[in-house]
Amino acid sequence: MTENPVALLAERLTDPVALAAQVAAGQAPELAETRSLWHPQSLADGHAGVALLLAALAHTDPDAARATHAHLTAAVNGVTRPAREGLYAGLPAVAFAARTAVTKPGEYAALLTKLDVQVALLARRLVEEDAPRPATGTTGTRTAGARMAGYDVVAGLSGLGRLLLAAGPEHRETTELVLTHLVTLTHPVTEPGGRTVPGWWTADPILFSEPQGIPGGHFNVGLAHGIPGPLALLSLAHRAGVRVPGQERAIRTIAEWLLARRSPDGVGWPNIVPLDAELTATSGARPELAEARTGWCYGTPGVARALQLAALALKEPDWNRQAVTAVARTCQRGDFTDPTLCHGLAGLTTIVTLMAQEPGGDELAALLPGLTTSLAAAADPSHPFLWPAAAPGVGSVVHRPGFLDGAAGAALALRHATNPEAPLGELPWQAALLLC
């Protein structure tokens, strides 16, 4: 175990020019794969994501503050924006990273003013693109389905809405527009077969990289791409006093649906609910849906935190109890082979850290030492970025420096879990995951 893996990783990531060159060289197969994913304006794998770790350290370390600024500069200067922008790509990713880097009033104010305008414009465009779907997809009119990329955390309105919520009253109108759109997503629709189903029914593939969808469509249950993302944003906004008509009903609709769609043991959640299973559930029977992943992106931990946020917003202690129980059961299984945030140990550790701080979290607080010990033990200085991510193939790994699937996210999770009182910026890095 490395004595201070967070500090060692930060040292290796300090120079944005050297890091970009290291990734671009791709001399080893593991780094060559990283090169294909890297984009300077990516929150997942880019300067924006690396800046999140350095920004967290910047509150007590002037050298880290300078390194944060250097990475943000590298993300902005001479960079071609990606074709599709969202919270994890393009100017919104830079805006998120910059807001986490604010250590004193007025810092990055000029940059954030410009970027917030771009984020608001993008959000309005997404609402406009998606508006015809819920407008014509109400009960009685058959719908082509919701676009996951229109509402999700990674590329859609749930992620942009969280960023706008942090931008403050200057963008309140756009934030409320986003919330109103997400409320309409919970209205029933009629799918092409003529049956009435929840409004987030989608014909999209589970993963955007897959060419085929699920026959009959599905209801996505992952926090990254599914209905828990809108639930988290609606709940966070409600707690912050930003509310629109129908918001409380929408929160309740999603939360109750999730509680009724758990796996047969009544604790965990599946990745998706296929249409046939949803129709079985609405007939009064519990569908046979096994939990398939235990991560932030898909699986019980992410869903449970979204449900806990809803419980806190609407003061539903039983929802909170069920969420805590589900995550505790996940921790006790201990079957994690990937140390990263998206679908690994760092994501679970981050969720447990946050949930343990809420009412009824004592059971989870007792599990944190074991999680942090495992996460620290996974750091190996012989790897270029200490924490390698699991890659397809038995025993293979890929070395990524970034936030979502890389070492920066693992380091942030370890730092927060072992030092939860450490200062953060006006926007906590965990907000990129819609966890707070």
Side-chain angles (χ1 to χ4, degrees), residues 58-59 65 68-69 98-99 101-112 426:
H59 296 274
T68 302
H69 187 270
R99 198 167 287 282
V102 174
T103 60
K104 56 182 181 292
E107 193 171 17
Y108 293 110
L111 175 64
L112 285 169
E426 62 178 62

Side-chain angles (χ1 to χ4, degrees), residues 106-124:
E107 193 171 17
Y108 293 110
L111 175 64
L112 285 169
T113 297
K114 294 178 181 178
L115 292 178
D116 288 346
V117 169
Q118 294 301 313
V119 171
L121 288 172
L122 176 59
R124 286 180 172 276

Side-chain angles (χ1 to χ4, degrees), residues 257-270 273 286-291 303 307 322-323 326:
W257 183 88
L258 286 170
L259 286 168
R261 301 297 181 273
R262 287 171 291 179
S263 53
D265 62 7
V267 176
W269 280 271
V273 176
R286 182 182 290 277
E288 294 294 319
L289 297 168
E291 182 182 23
V303 178
L307 185 61
Q322 294 185 67

Side-chain angles (χ1 to χ4, degrees), residues 34-53:
T34 298
R35 178 181 60 193
S36 68
L37 298 171
W38 177 271
H39 188 284
Q41 291 183 347
S42 171
L43 206 60
D45 284 289
H47 293 298
V50 171
L52 294 183
L53 171 61

